[in-house]
Amino acid sequence: MLMFPSDSLITSFVYSMSALPPFKPVTSYWFRLSQNGQNELLCFPSPASPPPAAMIHSLFLINASGDIFLEKHWKSVVSRSVCDYFFEAQERASEPENVPPVIPTPHHYLISVLRHRIYFVAVIQSEVPPLFVIEFLHRVVDTFQDYFGVCTEAAIKDNVVVVYELLEEMLDNGFPLATESNILKELIKPPTILRTMVNTITGSTNVGEQLPTGQLSVVPWRRTGVKYTNNEAYFDVVEEIDAIIDKSGSTITAEIQGVIDACVKLTGMPDLTLSFMNPRLLDDVSFHPCVRFKRWEAERILSFIPPDGNFRLLSYHVSSQNLVAIPVYVKHNITFREGSSQGRFDLTLGPKQTMGKAVEAVLVSSQLPRGVLNANLNASQGTYTFDPVTKMLTWDVGKINPQKLPSLKGSMNLQAGASKPDENPTINIQLKIQQMAISGLKVNRLDMYGEKYKPFKGIKYMTKAGKFQVRT
Amino acid sequence: MDVGFCLRSEAAGAMRTALMSAENLQLTLKAEPSQEERALTHTKRGPEETHKAGNEDLKEMLESNKESLKLEAMKRVVGLIAKGKNASELFPAVVKNVASKNIELKKLVYVYLVRYAEEQQDLALLSISTFQRALKEPNQFIRASALRVLSSIRVPIIVPIMMLAIKEAAADMSPYVRKTSAHAIQKLYSLDPDQKEQLIEVIEKLLKDKSTLVAGSVVVAFEEVCPDRIDLIHKNYRKLCNLLVDVEEWGQVVIISMLTRYARTQFTSPWKEGASFEENNEKAFYASDSEEKSERTEAEAYVMDPDHRLLLRNTKPLLQSRNTAVVMSVAQLYWHLAPRHEVNLVTKSLVRLLRSHREVQYIVLQNIATMSIQRKGMFEPYMKSFYVRSTDATHIKTLKLEILTNLANEANISTILREFQTYVKSQDKAFAAATIQAIGRCATNISEVTDTCLNGLVLLLSNRDETVVAESVVVIKKLLQTQPTQHSEIIKHMAKLFDNITVSMARASILWLMGEYCDRVPKIAPDVLRKMAKSFTAEEDIVKLQTVNLAAKLYLTNSKQTKLLTQYILNLGKYDQSYDIRDRTRFIRQLIVPNEKSGALNKYARRILLAPKPAPVLESAFKDRDRYQLGTLSHSLNSKASGYQELSDWPAVAPDQSVRNVEVVEPVQEWAPSVGKTKKLKSDDKFYSDNEEEKAEEESESSEGSSSSSSSSSGESSSESEEQSSEESDKTSSDSGKSSSGSEETSSGSDSQQKKKKKTKKAPQKKSKTAAASSDSDENGNGPVVKDSSSSDESSSGSEDDSDSDAAAAPTTQQQKKSDRKPGPKVKSEVEVSLLDLVDFSPAPTNAPKGPVVSPSLLSDLEGLSLSNTSSTMQVTAPSFGPVKTYELLHHMTGKGLSAKYHFPRQPCLHQPGMVAVQVTLSNGSDRSLEEIHVGDRSPASLNIHCFNTIERLEPEASVTVSMGIDFSDSTQAANFQLCTKEDGFSVSIQPAVGELLMPSSLSEQDFSREQGKLLGMNETSATVAMATANASSQAVKQRVLSVANVGEVPSGQDVAHR
């Protein structure tokens, strides 16, 4: 059979059509980079060269405006120009959250996390589980937050020496060394106002005089010789409802995530056990390393020697068989009319299944369509704001009074001539219900062994909305 | 008191500030820019000269006598480093403070040193002696931190010092120091790779460390320095597995990924061959609950190495870790190592990770996407967790979409499509477009909804958003291409919508569809062309090109109606502004319109333009990701990251598992080398020791019963093997002691099962077990090995064994063997061998492949042996002796002197065609003669046996061979009957192997492979290939394979006939 060049011409045209849609699925993300960039993918370091050591090579902290305000190298210095690749990706991303967490560059890989509007960019040279790095970076942020109260650019800049000391202790040669906050606090005292004052006056330091013992003990998460005059142990059971409610008000998906956060201030080496009235509710759990797994497996009892201070004892997921009580309902009527530059906005909230408890701290937010210029609304309670730039509508409702339901009504102005938006906005709701765990989880008792004194024990329950969305 | 103190310190503070400002003033004289300001803020980026000036200031502070001033200065220096500014010129001033008593100052100096030592090597050497001194400190923390800094100074000249320090620290009392030394190893290695050998020694030493503190760090060092030295892990494998739970979380990640690699080289695949990619949803899903149970059903075919099980068992609790990296690494371990049905354990935990930070979600979703392609069932119950929220980042949304598409099946598609409907309306248009693609994929994958999807997509054509419309048209086009026959309606509908669609891409797509399927819409297509002719000049290029295409196609199919239209369009195109269109027009005109010049090409115009086009394939972008190990950077990037190590395939034959044994009874270790040596004399050492071990194990069983083992004919290794037997059994028993409950249960389950069977067979015999065991080893241990030894490496050893003794047998047997079988392809036939091993041996201690090798001429040998009746040792020393294919029927102890053995001569039975010929050799082991030996009662009663004639008398030490015919009715059911003498009756049973029931015949290769295919599903056969290669090493081996091949081919072929 003859093969004509023309044949291939036409067919190839036909194919190129299918390859041409303006939006390719985003899975090809990584390769776009090479198109814009300098053919980076073509010049990866050859595997023949001796394997570059270390997992995390360097760390750069980048603020929202794209300035590198801190860098730390655990191995030889990596030029900050490596961050240009990051900036490139940042530019491409429409939103700050859309920057891909893993970015390949010719000789390095950048793995970043975004928290508190700061990018923590780790530079990696060779294969490493990306989650390893991500998890570590988050741990760094948690530590900063723990030390400075907030994790902002200002806080980090003010405490740059402590930050450096911390990073030095947390990583050795790019491998995590001490990430447990109890140990770190023994090595490096957290700066408090009092201590800063004392330090400036006496010239003493915030580096621990005593070397830590925790790392060597059988319970590496707890330091020895803890002493309190008031011995107390508080546990907060906090549950979050993640739900998607559809247009008609029926639940598409709903699940409950919970955590038990503890604040334990007990002298010596207490050994605690915590048992539940209804442990079967817990479907999937993850523990602080202090919890004895075997005991849980066998008896469904949490048995542990607690770290000193605040820590997260347990996170859990309530089994999906249980029906999730949805604490609020939303009546909404958001319409845009074809041809008119006006839209109606009508929203009413009401309590649903709250078991008699008050729904507090309700905050409604919604991303309105781009065509909306302004909103003239009237809130029966609380205050609302509309940001004309981001088109974000937030309504701080406060407490829901079942007798007088809060509502937000009014009109929206649309861009003249703009066509009617396809989609109605999604409504995100935040709320709090005190003294109740919505799953019904109850702590049965807390016992202490190993120490003589009687501690003060307290348990608090709370329910919050997690990712609670109402589609309209 | 307090007040006084305050006052005093206040005064001190005031003094200090005064001093500081004085200094600053001094400096301001030298350099003009605002010093104070910089000193206060530390943030402003000043020009170069101010830097220097600032550094001068710092220098003086560092050189002052006041500790606090120095500290202040160092803090500012660290601030400079943190901002990435150059502070290297302060090196001399800073390095002097390395010996400071102030801990914080010292630490900051360390920070500085580590940062700049590389640039100022000579000066850095000044500090070395301080560290060397500190290495001898009694306080472990000081030792550790000295080593840490010393090893972080990247100055090549101190490599020997570092080496020494590392070696010393590796032997330190304190585990903390040892841990630091493990870290230092990597640093030294990256500084000077030539030290590798020495460093490996240190690693080897540290790997033996029992401290949880050290384990993680040393594995990191191992992974970095010598990841290929898997042999270093063997002895530490079990220890690492057991320590794992207590190691700190970061170490866990590294150890788990290392063990994953290790396990893939050391254990055989737990996945059933052929079924590996099959969906087994329901069963798999429920199986997770009853792990043990399902395992038992599998046990016959595959017994998991207890070490393999140990790893799985010990990593499971880590799924509950709060560290997402640990959970992910356990998940990937299960994915790559666990039997298929156990992988589901990780699902819940992975889904839990989705509630973590955005970046974590991203990585986890990527991995789930890859997993969900292969195993929908794993994530289907959690489908709702992948529903997209409007607040998700775009890449998260896209990944969730990907997973939802992967999970779609007939049952859930309607739910998913309803969900997709919401997504299509999303404000995030990129996401909406991706959703349309996803709908397209669902439509192609699930034929039930293709129409629904198409209709939905057609509705989207009237959407206002360009992106959505364009994407829909493109997807519709792809869908129609995959099944063009049924959808003329949709094409018509699109033609109707055509006027309203403005997106040029979409218009072009519709035109192409019209042209491509113009025969399905014969009336509409010309009309569309007419409209296009009208608006041609106003269209975009891409639409024009397609118009020309359409015109050409219509001209070829329907020239009567469209001739004029086509010419008109071609004329328009001829004078178009775009040269692309002019070119295309010219080309089309030449092609389709016949004239004198065009000649040959014209004839083919139809074939060129209307050639059938292959449909585009809509598939997941994650399809090929599984070539990378899950959880790795390479997987995340879908390209190989530097330093990525491929996960090797499962070995076909498990390497010697005894290498992982640690310090068992002393003699074993003494013994080990000599075992190795004897092996090398033979062909392949590695497997051999395995065999040996297992055989020996059996021997130990049998030797209890048969005291006569010493009288074995094998001169060379009889005593050896005996000794070995006891020791090895020690070893194995200790193994199984450690082995996991799961596998223990299964293996012992099968064990006891087997024993039970034997018992039923030889019920009246008191020593039935020993008898069975000895007869096992008579059969050179193949089948029984597979089940008997709980720790056995399953079939591999069996078949290896096989070929081994066959090779030895080959010279003796070949000449007598009838050449009625042609040697099959070697590897394949080996597959058969091992297949049969498993099939046949599970019920009985027989050995099918051996059958044909037995030849009458061997009988004499056997007879000679039968009196000694020691069986086991005979087999071990097989090389010096022929293969023994006989099976013990009656032991002389139980038989009061009468012993009987039988074998299948593999000849057509003389008595009746349906019967299987069995030759029974009866010997008298007692000191008196036996009379009237005959066959008594038989069961099941239906059993048809053609008995041998009663033997009147059997003298002491004499033996006689008789032949019987037994009709097994094509089953492997045992034939039970009584063997009677004058005084006594003994119940015996003959259990045929499948192969023995078969007629020898030759078989074409096709049939052979067809059968092989059938058999593959039944059994684990992965062992065979590697064995073949291992065997290929020597000349003698070829013979072996040949003989095995002969054997293998026939039984398999005949399976067809009988099943």
Side-chain angles (χ1 to χ4, degrees), chain B residues 727-843:
Chain B
E727 283 154 11
E728 295 282 357
S729 65
D730 264 2
K731 212 194 267 186
T732 39
S733 64
S734 70
D735 273 4
S736 57
K738 282 182 204 161
S739 79
S740 73
S741 60
S743 66
E744 222 169 7
E745 229 171 276
T746 52
S747 54
S748 64
S750 65
D751 230 359
S752 60
Q753 203 185 339
Q754 193 202 353
K755 276 173 197 155
K756 228 182 281 163
K757 261 194 187 144
K758 283 178 199 154
K759 261 179 197 147
T760 55
K761 258 184 280 164
K762 314 192 174 176
Q765 298 179 340
K766 276 175 194 143
K767 288 174 197 152
S768 63
K769 195 189 156 209
T770 45
S774 62
S775 70
D776 282 355
S777 36
D778 248 11
E779 287 334 299
N780 98 24
N782 275 357
V785 165
V786 176
K787 306 149 288 153
D788 260 5
S789 53
S790 60
S791 55
S792 86
D793 284 347
E794 33 69 85
S795 65
S796 59
S797 59
S799 52
E800 172 61 27
D801 221 343
D802 229 4
S803 54
D804 237 2
S805 50
D806 272 340
T812 37
T813 53
Q814 252 171 358
Q815 67 261 34
Q816 304 120 346
K817 216 189 287 168
K818 286 150 213 153
S819 57
D820 54 346
R821 304 146 203 145
K822 295 187 175 67
K826 289 177 188 178
V827 177
K828 278 187 183 169
S829 49
E830 288 218 354
V831 171
E832 293 313 322
V833 172
S834 66
L835 270 177
L836 285 165
D837 281 351
L838 291 169
V839 171
D840 298 342
F841 296 140
S842 40

Side-chain angles (χ1 to χ4, degrees), chain A residues 47-61:
Chain A
S49 63
M55 305 194 117
I56 297 170
H57 220 275
S58 304
L59 176 70
F60 293 99
L61 268 55

